[in-house]
């Protein structure tokens, strides 16, 4: 009984954190970034070509040399590994623990509420955060800025084009622009390959999709204007919630009425999420449930907007149209 209660408490915490995070995805900036001066004429030619604003719109000055970095978002950490600059990381967020390529035995931080005092003492050349870090405080990183740390905010991407822009920005800020182009080119080549396999399917024959990112009783999904919506379309699907926009709290009755052909879930904090949907009360008449067309999609590649979205797009496309991939 005690174990079950602990499990229920843990699930509630995870659901609360997920809902908070998904609601915050609509934000476009990190509050509290102090605007600093533009690079001076005395700066080197190399420095002058560096970004002078971050993706949140705040002015930044990239140090002449960046040898130490702290990154507080899994999506950002994965990009840094892909760019080959992971050896510069001297700290990262707890959610990134376990990502292949990250250095071990370095300090880790709560992504939403990091210890600013510990960060300041660590004294990195650069701190890279998303819009989820200390979102509700004014000027949360002022102590680091005052100490000369370059604080950069990369808000959660809203589109696949934003993913490209953010990769290129991070590459430019770390002086590996060529690697940034390589990562983007490789991502685009895979997306084009997958899209080509399903591109000739007429619109009226494309399967309808409901993508669940939080299970009952707190259903959560996405509408248009999100990178996940674009990923569904790249895989050849039709998002049943396309008439709505952004990240959405969803009523079960809405999904049942939309009657999707296929249901995807990337929920990884409950046991057997696919089986739970297949046995969900009131959903027996949904086409996807009747035909057992409910599939788990890799959580990391479908929830972190970076170059690894290709993995989730491929998984979705193969689940939607397995016959088209039989010879692949």
């Amino acid at each position: 009984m005690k174990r079950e209660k602990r499990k229920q408490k843990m699930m509630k915490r995870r659901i609360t954190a997920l809902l908070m995070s998904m609601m915050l995805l609509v934000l476009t900036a990190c509050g509290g970034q102090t605007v600093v001066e533009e690079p001076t004429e005395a700066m080197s030619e190399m420095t002058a070509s560096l970004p002078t604003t971050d993706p949140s719109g705040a002015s930044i000055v990239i140090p002449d040399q960046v040898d130490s970095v702290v990154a507080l978002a899994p999506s950002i950490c994965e990009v840094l590994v892909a760019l080959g600059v992971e050896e510069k990381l001297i700290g990262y967020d707890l959610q990134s623990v376990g990502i292949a390529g990250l250095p071990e035995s370095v300090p880790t931080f709560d992504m939403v509420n990091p210890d600013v005092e510990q960060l300041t003492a660590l004294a990195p050349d650069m701190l890279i955060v998303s819009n989820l870090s200390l979102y509700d405080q004014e000027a949360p990183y002022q102590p680091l800025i005052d100490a000369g740390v370059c604080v950069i905010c990369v808000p959660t991407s809203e589109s696949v084009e934003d993913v490209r822009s953010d990769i290129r920005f991070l590459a430019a800020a770390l002086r590996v622009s060529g690697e940034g182009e390589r990562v983007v080119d490789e991502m685009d080549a895979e997306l084009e390959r997958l899209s080509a396999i399903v591109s000739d399917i007429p619109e009226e024959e494309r399967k309808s999709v409901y993508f669940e990112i939080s299970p009952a009783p707190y259903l959560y999904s996405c509408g248009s204007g999100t990178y996940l919506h674009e990923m569904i379309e790249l895989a050849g699907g039709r998002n049943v919630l396309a008439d709505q926009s952004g990240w959405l709290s969803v009523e079960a009755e809405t999904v049942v009425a939309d009657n999707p052909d296929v249901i995807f879930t990337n929920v990884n904090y409950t046991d057997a999420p696919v089986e739970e949907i297949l046995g969900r009360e009131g959903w027996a008449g949904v086409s996807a449930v009747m035909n057992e067309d409910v599939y788990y999609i890799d959580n990391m590649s479908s929830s972190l907007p970076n170059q690894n979205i290709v993995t989730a797009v491929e998984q979705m496309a193969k689940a939607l149209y397995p016959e088209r991939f039989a010879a692949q």
Side-chain angles (χ1 to χ4, degrees):
M1 182 66 72
K2 289 183 178 179
R3 182 180 299 176
E4 184 62 25
K5 286 183 179 179
R6 284 198 299 270
K7 185 175 181 181
Q8 289 176 355
K9 282 185 178 180
M10 185 175 295
M11 286 178 60
K12 286 181 180 178
R13 288 192 190 116
R14 287 172 173 169
I15 289 169
T16 300
L18 172 69
L19 293 177
M20 179 183 69
S21 297
M22 297 310 299
M23 286 187 287
L24 288 170
L25 289 175
V26 300
L27 297 176
T28 58
C30 290
Q33 171 71 57
T34 297
V35 176
V36 295
E37 296 180 359
E38 296 289 337
T40 65
E41 291 183 1
M43 285 185 168
S44 66
E45 198 173 309
M46 183 178 188
T47 303
S49 67
L50 295 173
T52 57
T53 58
D54 68 19
S56 77
S59 296
I60 57 173
V61 174
I62 307 296
D64 290 339
Q65 190 157 335
V66 178
D67 296 319
S68 58
V69 177
V70 173
L72 299 183
S75 59
I76 294 170
C77 284
E78 287 192 338
V79 172
L80 299 187
V81 171
L83 294 174
V85 295
E86 65 275 11
E87 76 283 351
K88 295 180 183 290
L89 283 167
I90 60 170
Y92 48 83
D93 62 285
L94 286 165
Q95 285 79 2
S96 293
V97 173
I99 290 177
L102 291 184
E104 298 179 1
S105 302
V106 299
T108 54
F109 298 85
D110 185 323
M111 180 176 71
V112 176
N113 189 31
D115 186 331
V116 173
E117 189 173 318
Q118 184 185 5
L119 282 171
T120 304
L122 199 57
D125 296 323
M126 181 181 291
L127 170 66
I128 310 174
V129 302
S130 76
N131 48 314
L132 301 183
S133 298
L134 282 175
Y135 64 93
D136 62 348
Q137 296 189 29
E138 185 177 353
Y141 301 111
Q142 194 61 47
L144 283 93
I145 295 169
D146 291 344
V149 177
C150 175
V151 178
I152 287 174
C153 177
V154 182
T156 302
S157 305
E158 295 181 358
S159 67
V160 175
E161 183 55 38
D162 283 348
V163 171
R164 296 185 184 97
S165 296
D166 291 345
I167 293 171
R168 288 182 172 122
F169 167 81
L170 289 168
L174 290 161
R175 294 181 172 85
V176 288
S177 292
E179 286 300 292
E181 289 305 317
R182 175 189 61 78
V183 172
V184 170
D185 288 346
E186 289 176 357
M187 178 186 76
D188 282 344
E190 276 300 287
L191 291 178
E192 289 170 11
R193 178 184 71 82
L194 294 168
S195 183
I197 295 173
V198 299
S199 62
D200 64 335
I201 301 174
E203 184 65 26
E204 63 275 11
E205 295 179 18
R206 293 182 174 237
K207 295 181 181 179
S208 58
V209 172
Y210 164 65
F211 198 117
E212 187 165 286
I213 56 181
S214 177
Y218 308 108
L219 301 182
Y220 221 75
S221 186
C222 68
S224 58
T226 63
Y227 63 85
L228 187 53
H229 169 79
E230 289 185 38
M231 290 164 62
I232 293 170
E233 293 191 328
L234 285 168
R238 289 187 296 108
N239 184 2
V240 296
L241 299 174
D243 60 335
Q244 302 181 60
S245 62
W247 303 97
L248 307 165
S249 178
V250 183
E251 296 295 331
E253 293 79 7
T254 300
V255 180
V256 172
D258 286 334
N259 192 29
D261 298 316
V262 176
I263 294 175
F264 294 133
T265 176
N266 67 359
V267 173
N268 64 350
Y269 56 89
T270 63
D271 295 332
V274 169
E275 288 72 14
E276 188 275 322
I277 292 172
L278 289 172
R280 190 173 290 171
E281 185 177 355
W283 288 40
V286 175
S287 294
V289 174
M290 285 194 299
N291 299 322
E292 296 190 350
D293 279 330
V294 181
Y295 305 94
Y296 176 78
I297 302 300
D298 178 67
N299 178 272
M300 294 284 278
S301 60
S302 61
S303 62
L304 302 181
N306 60 35
Q307 69 282 351
N308 294 324
I309 61 173
V310 297
T311 298
V313 172
E314 182 165 19
Q315 289 180 357
M316 286 192 283
K318 287 182 175 179
L320 287 167
Y321 309 106
E323 69 284 356
R324 289 183 170 246
F325 289 85
Q328 295 295 312

